[in-house]
Each structure stands twice: as structure tokens, then as C-alpha cells.
Amino acid sequence: MSLVAASVVILLMVALFLGAGVWIFAGLIMVGVGTLYIVLDFDLIRIGTIATKVISSSAVSWELAAIPVFIWMGDIIFRTDISQRLFRGLSPIVSRIPGGLLHTNVIGCTIFAAISGSSNATTATVGKITIPELLKRGYDLNLASGSLAGAGTFGLLIPPSIAMIIYGVLAEVSIVKLFAAGLVPGLLMAVLYSGYIIVVSLIKPGVEPDNVEKASFKDMLRGVWDLVPILVLMFLVLGSIYSGLATPSEAAAVGVAVAILITVFTGQFSIKMIVDSLMTTIRISAMICLLIAAASFLSAAFAFMHLPVQITEAIAGMNLSPIGVLAILALLYIVLGMFIDGTSMTVMTVPIAVPLIIQAGFDPIWFGVFLVIMIELSALTPPVGLNLYILQGLTAVGLGRTVWAALPFFLLLCLGTVLLVIFPQLALWLPGLL
């Protein structure tokens, strides 16, 4: 079967299984089986042997151990009053900056992202405190909700990031270097967001109340004290990874221990909380690991028919520039992001995208950051932009207004992506030091 015919058959199977509402991991396995059976004419016994070997080997990868532990750490923190402490601690520090407490969304999400690894958890945790407080104090609804929708995506980019672990396992690149690569771009995005809030506040004074009280230096010191537990957790987890003292999995275990100690010292520890957080961790981890195993089988099916090589050669034959290849992939990810979640998008595309970007001359570590930003964009695009629905629930306004509020921050993410393409060292400088 020709490349075009095979691609059409595969796309039809994807549309059939995923469009019918089948669980995504099951749909990917069905597409893999269909590819081997229809396109390559393999018998079912051979397909079963391939599936058994590939799925069992991918499911026991040591790198995957970091995923459930980081999820558990983030869920323990999610069940504490850390979001209240974040708001209390940041409020006096940002009170003298134009935009005032609106910056608690950006800085709060940046800090929480460093212990969460999840965009949705970051948005929900920070937003459940900041949104009611900002609206009660008279801040502009659009800027409050839009900044949270955008900054909530930092949970994917700023390490430790579950999305980066998944990409690292599938692309077979260093997860530690991926974590390092995401740090500077993540901080850059935070600067862009806060800069936008400052500019808007200066040219439209009505976005923040006129009677904002400026905190004293003593109030700022009290605010720093509220931030101490989460800053200690960040330092221990990220410091142990970047210093080489621990692998991501080991650092995650340290993070869980510290998170439990925080609940003990703040009087929030309970057996019920630990059990509930474990149950949530099991559900989310099982979903992610099933997706990775299914994607590994689908990748094996593609490899048997040499699809990644053929697509790479076909695109190379189009004589596109490296930027042209990247633009095609960016457009593909933005369109896919309108219909499927970031994890599914990653596991479905990495087997084909990585050979393409290597052929085009891009570093796979750099591309991991680029891909995560594309996933961030998908979190802000309807109809499947999960951050938008979280914001809609927090603000009780229509989806259309929520999308409009998030649009400037979507465009700022696009600007950050352009800067990343022009200056790749933004992502590669820190990994080069490790």
C-alpha cells in the first residue's frame, strides 16, 4: 500500500475510533491493530505477540515512576491551604506594582507550577482563592480571569512537568535536561504576562481599584514567611534534580515526604487526606500510563510500515525550510488542541514529529519545550480548552467572554513561541550547563 493510501486508512481509523467516543488509549490500540492487520496484513497471533512485548516493556519504564509520585505530591499540596498562603504571601509583595493583586495570578501559578506539574491543578488551586478575592476587591474580570487562564498553563512548562516526562519517555531524551530547558522559557512567559498586566493597568486605570493599600516593608516580610513552606519544597525538589543529587523519580519521592511534613506542621494532616490523594493519583497515573503504553504500540505499528521515515522523506522532498516544517507542526498542534487533550496529543504525534524535527536540524530537547508550549496553547482553545472551563466555573460567566479574556494571553504565548524559535538558547542554555 502506498504512503498516501496507508495514511488515509490510518486517518480514517483514528476518526472512527476516537470520533466514536472510545477511550483514547483503547482507540490508539485499535488503530495500531488495524494498521498491522489491514495495511501490513499481519495475522492476529503476530499482532498479539508484538503488542504484548511493546506494551509490557513500555509500562515498566523506570522513568515513568516519576509520574505518579509527582502527581501525588501535587495532590497533597492541592488539598492543603497552600493557595491561601500563596495569596496572603504574594499580596503585600505585589501591592506596589501597577496591576496590584492581578500579579498574584501570574506569580502564584509560576510558584505552584514548580510543585504541581499539571496545568489544570495549577489553574484550579490558584484560582479558587485569587478569583473571588480579586473580584471582591473590584479588579477587572477579564484581566483577572484571562491572566489566570494563561498563567495556569505554566504547570506544563515549569518543572517538574508531567508533560515533559511523557515526552522524554517517548522521545528517549533526558528528562533532567527537559526540566532545565523549560525553566527559562517558563519565567519568560511569566515576565510577558506581568508586563502586559502592568501596561494595561497604566493605560486603563480602571482595571484595578483606586483605593489599593500599599503594603509596608514589614507586611512584605510577613508575606515571605507565608511562602516559606512552598519555597522550601521547590528548592528541595528542583535543587536535588539540577545538582545531580537525585533523579526526577527520587526527587519526587523527597517532594512527597516534604509535602506530608508540611501538612503535619500546618495541622492539616489526616489519614483521609492521604487516602483520597492516593486514589486520585492512582486514577490519573493509570490513565497516563495506559496512554503511553498504547502510544508505544501504535509507534511500533508505524515503525513496521516505516511510516515516520516515509513521512520524513516526503516532507524533505518538499524542500521546506526548517521554519516551514516547524510552522506545519505548530498549525497541526493548534488544530489538534481544539479537539483532544495535551497528553493524548503528545503520545499520538511524538513518534512522527521527532524524526521530522531532527531531520530539519532542531534539537529534540528544544522541541520538547516547543511541544509543551503548543499544549499550553491547546489549553486555551475551545472547544476542549480545559483551562477555559475551569475559569468558567470559577467566574460563572459565559464561555465566549472567558475565551475573549484569555485571548491576549494566548497571543502572548504565541509571542513567546516566536522568541523561542528566534533565540533557541532560551531553552538550551541551562541544559548545556548540566
Side-chain angles (χ1 to χ4, degrees), residues 32-44 47:
V33 171
T35 299
L36 293 174
Y37 187 76
I38 298 172
V39 179
L40 297 178
D41 200 27
F42 284 12
D43 60 70
L44 293 179
I47 294 173

Side-chain angles (χ1 to χ4, degrees), residues 77-434:
I77 295 298
F78 175 76
R79 296 173 188 275
T80 67
D81 66 350
I82 203 70
S83 56
Q84 298 173 22
R85 291 173 180 268
L86 267 176
F87 187 80
R88 261 197 335 257
L90 292 173
S91 295
I93 296 173
V94 301
S95 64
R96 294 182 176 273
I97 306 174
L101 300 188
L102 288 168
H103 295 282
T104 58
N105 276 341
V106 177
I107 303 175
C109 286
T110 303
I111 293 174
F112 191 80
I115 59 169
S116 168
S118 164
S119 167
N120 300 334
T122 300
T123 305
T125 303
V126 176
K128 70 182 179 181
I129 297 298
T130 61
I131 290 297
E133 288 290 337
L134 290 172
L135 298 185
K136 183 175 69 177
R137 300 181 191 208
Y139 283 87
D140 180 71
L141 171 61
N142 283 356
L143 204 52
S145 60
S147 59
L148 179 62
T153 63
F154 293 164
L156 299 172
L157 185 57
I158 294 177
S161 164
I162 303 300
M164 285 186 172
I165 297 175
I166 295 171
Y167 172 80
V169 170
L170 294 175
E172 299 181 352
V173 297
S174 168
I175 293 172
V176 174
K177 289 191 174 183
L178 280 171
F179 280 3
L183 189 59
V184 174
L187 295 177
L188 171 65
M189 297 299 181
V191 170
L192 288 175
Y193 283 6
S194 280
Y196 175 77
I197 291 172
I198 291 172
V199 170
V200 173
S201 299
L202 291 174
I203 62 177
K204 291 177 60 180
V207 300
E208 62 174 320
D210 296 328
N211 57 346
V212 176
E213 183 180 347
K214 307 301 182 184
S216 65
F217 182 70
K218 188 177 180 180
D219 292 331
M220 292 182 185
L221 289 179
R222 283 201 204 98
V224 172
W225 178 250
D226 273 321
L227 298 176
V228 165
I230 194 169
L231 293 177
V232 168
L233 182 56
M234 286 172 52
F235 175 78
L236 290 175
V237 173
L238 298 182
S240 61
I241 293 174
Y242 293 149
S243 65
L245 294 176
T247 64
S249 301
E250 293 164 346
V254 171
V256 167
V258 174
I260 293 175
L261 286 175
I262 288 174
T263 65
V264 172
F265 288 126
T266 57
Q268 300 174 77
F269 177 84
S270 70
I271 297 298
K272 182 179 185 304
M273 182 196 71
I274 297 298
V275 172
D276 289 346
S277 64
L278 276 171
M279 294 302 295
T280 300
T281 300
I282 290 170
R283 285 196 300 269
I284 297 175
S285 301
M287 176 196 72
I288 292 173
C289 291
L290 281 171
L291 278 172
I292 292 174
S296 299
F297 173 59
L298 185 59
S299 299
F302 288 166
F304 273 106
M305 62 180 295
H306 307 291
L307 186 62
V309 175
Q310 292 183 61
I311 291 177
T312 302
E313 290 175 350
I315 292 181
M318 297 167 64
N319 295 319
L320 293 173
S321 67
I323 298 299
V325 173
L326 205 61
I328 290 175
L329 287 174
L331 181 62
L332 171 66
Y333 281 124
I334 290 174
V335 172
L336 282 176
M338 295 180 179
F339 304 101
I340 59 176
D341 65 277
T343 301
S344 304
M345 191 163 65
T346 301
V347 299
M348 288 175 62
T349 60
V350 163
I352 292 176
V354 170
L356 279 177
I357 61 101
I358 293 176
Q359 174 77 21
F362 293 104
D363 189 301
I365 296 289
W366 177 91
F367 182 73
V369 177
F370 177 87
L371 172 58
V372 167
I373 296 176
M374 293 298 104
I375 298 173
E376 289 183 332
L377 290 172
S378 73
L380 300 177
T381 52
V384 188
L386 295 181
N387 278 21
L388 299 176
Y389 293 106
I390 293 173
L391 259 296
Q392 188 183 16
L394 291 171
T395 59
V397 300
L399 181 61
R401 184 172 181 181
T402 303
V403 172
W404 179 254
L407 179 60
F409 298 91
F410 176 89
L411 296 176
L412 286 171
L413 268 180
C414 293
L415 173 61
T417 307
V418 172
L419 292 174
L420 184 68
V421 173
I422 297 174
F423 305 107
Q425 284 304 310
L426 288 170
L428 297 177
W429 169 72
L430 191 55
L433 298 180
L434 296 180

